[in-house]
Amino acid sequence: MTDTFSLASRFGTQGLGGCYAPETLMQPLLDLEAAFRSALADPAFQAELKGELRHFVGRPTPLTPAPRLAAKLGLRALFLKREDLTHTGAHKINNALAQAILARRMGKTEIIAETGAGQHGVATAAACARLGLDCTVYMGVTDMARQAPNVARMRLFGTKVVPVEAGQGTLKEAVNEALRAWAGRCDKAHYILGSALGPHPFPTLVRSFQTVIGEEARAQALEQSGALPEVVLACAGGGSNGLGLLVPFLGDAVRRVAVEAGGHGQALGEHAARLDGGRMGVLHGCKTLLLQDDDGHTAETASISAGLDYPALGPELAALALDGQVEVRRASDEEALMGARLLCEAEGILPALESSHALALLPGLATEGAATVLLGLSGRGDKDLSTYQSRLGI
Ligand SMILES: *Cc1c(COP(=O)(O)O)cnc(C)c1O
């Protein structure tokens, strides 16, 4: 089935990715791939996307030097790529907006999406309001409880939020429901997937719409400091902000690092660290590194951050890791809280819990001898205030 597609549908030497989708979704996926390819080649699409990224999203986002935190850690220089300053407060809007423009171009009038942390749901809801598209977002009940402000934001933007009770009530179950809903309405609806996951062409599509992060950051680093950093670092849930930041640095002599959720323990079910905890498997349409039990059932995961709490690593990031292009590390819940505190106190920036996992790696990188680091600050921490309050006792 892969040779039906002309965009890369498999990644790395082990051929991760692919298109493991039910028959009902094959035609919509083929249509999406064709529309994506024609949009990429169309200057009108590119111009509209560029204009919206600039005037609605707020791009380019700054590359902020963090000299006080660098000095505290013993780094020569630290730069933060500020996706937290985008409209709706995380990198998710880059992809949501681009896919919404693509959907309208395809003549779709409805958008279906899923959300974990709620950031992708909010970004999609905002993009749909902006473009005049109907929007339905599927969200696990556990996530709805821990991300209540984002549920309210989506509803204010006119989006219907559908609670998903199944399983743990988190992202995995929400994706199942969203895919099911799409299969039933794909003549009118486009499914905006929120990370570099799912059946082809989604991983490639999402990564393409996120590489603006790394392209900007690379140019800004050269302009502001005259050199590339030694280490480029991002957190990894499905992998979209990580790929977005790291892929434009693939040809450079820099260390590329992605950080997964180490949760609160090493045992299966206590973390979402897929690289050393996972095995090859298929989930939600693609083959990749997946946390699973001995019988091959998808394992439960745990993380203080909803956005990293997913059993599969996106196939392209997993392939880059397995092929030695990207180092994958983990940070625990406690370490992430420490990382957040460091940034808050030294620089006056409140990071999302997801981004705090990348921050948590900084002391270790400094100890390993790194001197200059560029860190992807994927989102802002306002949505996580209640967790910070209860866990940090403030
Ligand atoms: C969703 C999210 C993530 C994780 O998703 P990726 O696809 O791995 O980027 C990280 N940070 C924030 C702020 C998020 O909202």
Side-chain angles (χ1 to χ4, degrees):
M1 85 185 75
T2 53
D3 46 17
T4 330
F5 295 116
S6 51
L7 292 172
S9 67
R10 293 277 178 178
F11 304 104
T13 49
Q14 302 198 35
L16 303 197
C19 188
Y20 300 84
E23 223 27 68
T24 43
L25 287 181
M26 288 313 285
Q27 196 53 49
L29 289 166
L30 283 164
D31 293 345
L32 178 60
E33 200 226 8
F36 175 50
R37 196 142 29 93
S38 103
L40 285 184
D42 180 355
F45 174 81
Q46 296 288 359
E48 180 176 7
L49 178 56
K50 212 171 155 192
E52 289 294 285
L53 286 176
R54 176 154 178 220
H55 301 296
F56 182 65
V57 173
R59 305 208 72 88
T61 57
L63 185 72
T64 304
R68 278 176 35 83
L69 182 53
K72 187 168 180 175
L73 297 169
L75 294 167
R76 183 149 47 79
L78 173 63
F79 295 94
L80 307 170
K81 182 56 177 164
R82 301 290 306 279
E83 295 305 292
D84 61 310
L85 291 181
T86 57
H87 177 50
T88 69
H91 67 286
K92 299 274 185 0
I93 189 77
N94 303 323
N95 167 58
L97 181 76
Q99 284 202 49
I101 296 173
L102 184 62
R104 201 184 49 186
R105 200 183 139 92
M106 292 173 77
K108 309 285 181 182
T109 53
E110 289 174 32
I111 295 297
I112 292 167
E114 85 299 327
T115 196
Q119 287 303 122
H120 174 58
V122 170
T124 304
C128 287
R130 172 89 180 160
L131 297 179
L133 296 163
D134 282 343
C135 184
T136 305
V137 170
Y138 294 82
M139 190 171 187
V141 285
T142 308
D143 288 338
M144 282 182 75
R146 58 181 169 177
Q147 305 290 344
N150 277 341
V151 176
R153 282 185 191 104
M154 285 185 265
R155 289 182 171 147
L156 279 168
F157 293 148
T159 280
K160 189 170 158 223
V161 182
V162 180
V164 178
E165 309 262 355
Q168 281 183 289
T170 59
L171 182 60
K172 175 162 69 76
E173 294 82 19
V175 176
N176 285 334
E177 281 305 310
L179 281 169
R180 223 187 318 269
W182 188 36
R185 297 213 296 279
C186 51
D187 51 332
K188 289 203 189 94
H190 170 63
Y191 174 33
I192 300 190
L193 214 150
S195 189
L197 290 163
H200 178 77
F202 279 112
T204 304
L205 192 99
V206 176
R207 185 258 284 142
S208 305
F209 292 143
Q210 291 291 4
T211 44
V212 64
I213 303 172
E215 283 160 8
E216 284 178 10
R218 192 177 180 285
Q220 289 166 319
L222 287 172
E223 191 196 310
Q224 290 172 219
S225 70
L228 294 178
E230 290 169 18
V231 183
V232 187
L233 170 68
C235 65
S240 72
N241 91 92
L243 287 168
L245 182 67
L246 301 176
V247 163
F249 289 90
L250 276 178
D252 298 316
V254 302
R255 273 174 76 188
R256 294 164 293 267
V257 183
V259 189
E260 299 183 299
H264 56 82
Q266 304 286 327
L268 199 63
E270 295 178 345
H271 60 80
R274 290 73 45 104
L275 188 74
D276 25 74
R279 284 180 293 126
M280 216 56 90
V282 172
L283 179 67
H284 297 145
C286 65
K287 179 177 151 192
T288 190
L289 282 173
L290 183 61
L291 288 167
Q292 47 193 306
D293 64 20
D294 291 338
D295 299 326
H297 294 127
T298 306
E300 301 204 337
T301 51
S303 171
I304 193 170
S305 75
L308 303 186
D309 200 353
Y310 184 74
L313 183 59
E316 187 172 9
L317 191 54
L320 288 170
L322 292 173
D323 292 344
Q325 295 287 319
V326 171
E327 297 168 45
V328 177
R329 312 276 286 266
R330 63 166 88 178
S332 70
D333 292 351
E334 287 299 327
E335 288 166 331
L337 289 165
M338 178 276 300
R341 185 151 236 171
L342 279 174
L343 185 67
C344 287
E345 289 174 3
E347 300 289 347
I349 299 169
L350 175 65
L353 272 167
E354 291 81 8
S355 322
S356 299
H357 286 71
L359 290 160
L361 224 69
L362 290 174
L365 288 171
T367 309
E368 289 164 25
T372 56
V373 178
L374 192 161
L375 182 147
L377 203 69
S378 54
R380 66 177 180 229
D382 305 55
K383 69 183 176 58
D384 300 314
L385 259 185
S386 65
T387 307
Y388 284 131
Q389 274 177 312
S390 63
R391 293 293 296 266
L392 294 172
I394 45 171

